Amino acid sequence: MSLELKNVSMQFSNSENATLNEISLCVEPGEFVCIVGASGCGKSTLLNLIAGLLKPTSGEILLDGKKITGPGADRTVMFQDHGLYPWLNVIDNVKFGMKLAGVSKEEQEERALHYLKMVNLLEYRDYPIHQISGGMRQRTALARALTMDSSVLLMDEPFSALDKQTSNKLREELQRIWMETKRTILFITHSVEEAVYLGDRVVVLSADSQKKPHIVEIGLERPRHVYSPEFVELRHQILEEIRGEEI
Ligand SMILES: Nc1ncnc2c1ncn2[C@@H]1O[C@H](COP(=O)(O)OP(=O)(O)OP(=O)(O)O)[C@@H](O)[C@H]1O
Ligand SMILES: [Mg+2]
């Protein structure tokens, strides 16, 4: 599914300046686009606009040419906080969204097992949430997001609360899952390394909303090696751009 932002601006009524100013961006079906930028520059706002949870002050957002007017089954959001229900075990959390969406019990079971296998949690399906690690919780949330079968996945810093080793492992897994499932992914991160590792393109949002976002093509083969000279160069280039913008 293609996603197009046309001159999207967002000004909250209680703030003097626009948070986002005339953002335009085209995301191709199956593309992995990462968004980086300083804290407060409007990354989550942009994601919430695409999710349909907020309405832009001006401009429009199109999915396959159709204007977004609210949340829809074609998009699923995954937040930093996994949002799992502590009173449900792993598999029931994974099934929860499908249950609300009215998916039949057999189909719920089938899809839940399929995606639990994909995120390597099949053996933990009956565990209560408080007995699994932070990384496993994010994987549970990822499996739940994937079961919704929407072609666009919107991810807002899903791994940022995890330790470096766990988040590195999860980004590898996410890359593999993206390749297997061919979803279109918009991924927000404050880690430039994560963005260069995962993205086909990286959108660098400035803290100064008057400045147009800079879009960097990451033409590196996958899987990428964070210590390769090309990787280091791209990471350095993006870091330079947001230097002084407090990330
Ligand atoms: N619902 C809201 N009402 C008013 N202002 C808001 C609202 N949501 C966000 N803002 C403001 O918009 C700006 C951008 O916030 P946003 O959460 O999008 O930033 P961010 O880039 O995601 O930051 P972080 O990296 O810290 O998550 C901030 O100044 C914030 O105070
Ligand atoms: Mg945010």
Side-chain angles (χ1 to χ4, degrees):
M1 204 165 222
S2 73
L3 173 70
E4 190 177 3
L5 279 75
K6 282 184 168 169
N7 299 316
V8 171
S9 297
M10 186 68 194
Q11 172 140 22
F12 291 104
S13 52
N14 56 355
S15 80
E16 227 169 83
N17 301 312
T19 297
L20 297 170
N21 189 33
E22 307 229 328
I23 305 278
S24 293
L25 175 71
C26 271
V27 180
E28 300 297 326
E31 200 181 3
F32 201 129
V33 171
C34 293
I35 300 173
V36 294
S39 180
C41 74
K43 303 182 295 296
S44 297
T45 303
L46 190 64
L47 203 86
N48 288 330
L49 286 166
I50 298 168
L53 300 170
L54 289 172
K55 284 203 170 21
T57 318
S58 63
E60 54 183 17
I61 306 174
L62 308 169
L63 258 178
D64 275 351
K66 258 188 77 193
K67 190 171 167 173
I68 289 175
T69 54
D74 39 23
R75 287 148 287 147
T76 298
V77 191
M78 184 177 162
F79 296 103
Q80 175 178 2
D81 168 14
H82 51 71
L84 300 173
Y85 299 107
W87 59 88
L88 297 178
N89 64 12
V90 167
I91 193 163
D92 288 338
N93 266 288
V94 172
K95 287 179 180 172
F96 196 81
M98 292 188 283
K99 200 169 158 190
L100 289 186
V103 174
S104 74
K105 283 223 158 110
E106 298 73 39
E107 176 88 20
Q108 284 180 34
E109 180 79 10
E110 194 182 312
R111 277 199 233 166
L113 293 175
H114 176 74
Y115 288 110
L116 279 169
K117 182 156 184 253
M118 196 177 276
V119 301
N120 298 320
L121 275 186
L122 211 48
E123 307 92 281
Y124 292 91
R125 61 184 177 273
D126 296 325
Y127 273 58
I129 293 304
H130 65 89
Q131 278 180 23
I132 60 173
S133 68
M136 289 160 126
R137 288 178 196 165
Q138 286 310 95
R139 287 204 219 133
T140 306
L142 178 59
R144 181 177 61 183
L146 291 164
T147 58
M148 298 314 288
D149 266 356
S150 48
S151 55
V152 180
L153 261 183
L154 305 168
M155 310 181 83
D156 194 351
E157 307 210 27
F159 309 145
S160 67
L162 304 172
D163 62 85
K164 179 90 175 132
Q165 211 181 335
T166 309
S167 67
N168 285 358
K169 177 107 181 58
L170 278 174
R171 74 184 181 197
E172 277 173 29
E173 290 187 8
L174 178 64
Q175 174 168 264
R176 172 181 54 79
I177 289 166
W178 167 69
M179 287 170 150
E180 276 174 32
T181 60
K182 301 188 168 61
R183 308 289 172 103
T184 307
I185 300 186
L186 228 80
F187 186 97
I188 292 179
T189 173
H190 62 261
S191 159
V192 174
E193 182 186 298
E194 195 168 70
V196 176
Y197 185 86
L198 287 170
D200 290 321
R201 287 185 296 157
V202 175
V203 178
V204 186
L205 273 188
S206 173
D208 174 2
S209 66
Q210 296 305 312
K211 248 170 93 179
K212 289 265 165 266
H214 182 207
I215 298 175
V216 183
E217 290 270 349
I218 311 292
L220 307 176
E221 298 246 329
R222 296 172 189 266
R224 296 168 180 164
H225 303 285
V226 295
Y227 295 118
S228 76
E230 299 83 8
F231 192 103
V232 172
E233 170 62 30
L234 276 166
R235 181 167 169 259
H236 183 72
Q237 186 192 322
I238 296 172
L239 278 170
E240 276 298 300
E241 224 171 293
I242 45 187
R243 205 221 289 258
E245 291 201 349
E246 166 83 64
I247 196 156

